[in-house]
């Protein structure tokens, strides 16, 4: 079993930056890949970024503004978001699995999400 807890969300002005954290606990093998998805009101949950905790390999939907990283010693994955836009407003979810994929079905474990609101 794996537990994921997100933090770092909040209200940010357009153009600002934010770093989200996802603290993981539980079976290491089952969470060799960690990812971030987001869901805006009325929209489907979308892939943002993923990272392989073993080799650091990454995948992005928009590598220009998003940076995913990990600290294996802290069992934590991070998502840095720069140049925030109002359309980035969403609940950001952390997910874990064993495949470096971009679709929801490859991720077995999910956190509860953290709200990011971009507004002036």
């Amino acid at each position: 079993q794996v537990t994921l807890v997100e933090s770092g969300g909040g209200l940010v002005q357009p153009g600002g930056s934010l770093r989200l954290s996802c603290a993981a606990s539980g079976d290491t093998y089952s969470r060799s890949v960690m990812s971030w998805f987001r869901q805006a009101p009325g929209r489907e949950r979308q892939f943002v970024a993923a990272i392989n905790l073993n080799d650091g390999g990454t995948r992005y939907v928009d590598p220009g503004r998003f940076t995913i990283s990990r600290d294996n010693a802290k069992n934590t994955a991070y998502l840095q978001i720069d140049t925030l836009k109002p359309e980035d407003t969403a609940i950001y979810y952390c997910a874990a699995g064993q495949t470096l994929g971009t679709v929801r079905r490859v991720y077995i474990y999910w956190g509860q999400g953290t709200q990011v609101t971009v507004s002036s």
Side-chain angles (χ1 to χ4, degrees):
Q1 188 68 24
V2 173
T3 301
L4 304 172
V5 179
E6 303 97 332
S7 62
L11 174 63
V12 185
Q13 291 189 343
S17 298
L18 205 60
R19 189 176 81 157
L20 307 180
S21 300
C22 176
S25 61
D27 177 45
T28 304
Y29 178 74
S30 297
R31 54 177 173 87
S32 58
V33 173
M34 293 181 70
S35 66
W36 289 92
F37 284 72
R38 67 182 183 181
Q39 188 166 15
R43 302 190 66 179
E44 292 193 357
R45 198 169 297 186
Q46 298 177 316
F47 172 79
V48 176
I51 187 166
N52 184 309
L53 301 183
N54 296 321
D55 62 17
T58 58
R59 296 189 71 174
Y60 290 96
V61 67
D62 180 2
R65 296 194 301 119
F66 298 93
T67 304
I68 191 170
S69 61
R70 90 285 197 201
D71 185 335
N72 289 350
K74 295 182 178 180
N75 293 314
T76 300
Y78 304 96
L79 182 70
Q80 175 77 26
I81 314 173
D82 297 316
T83 318
L84 279 155
K85 306 173 183 179
E87 50 264 42
D88 293 319
T89 295
I91 299 174
Y92 284 72
Y93 295 92
C94 178
Q98 298 173 282
T99 302
L100 193 64
T102 63
V103 294
R104 292 178 60 177
R105 58 182 171 82
V106 305
Y107 294 98
I108 305 168
Y109 302 99
W110 292 82
Q112 294 299 307
T114 184
Q115 176 71 47
V116 172
T117 302
V118 184
S119 175
S120 55

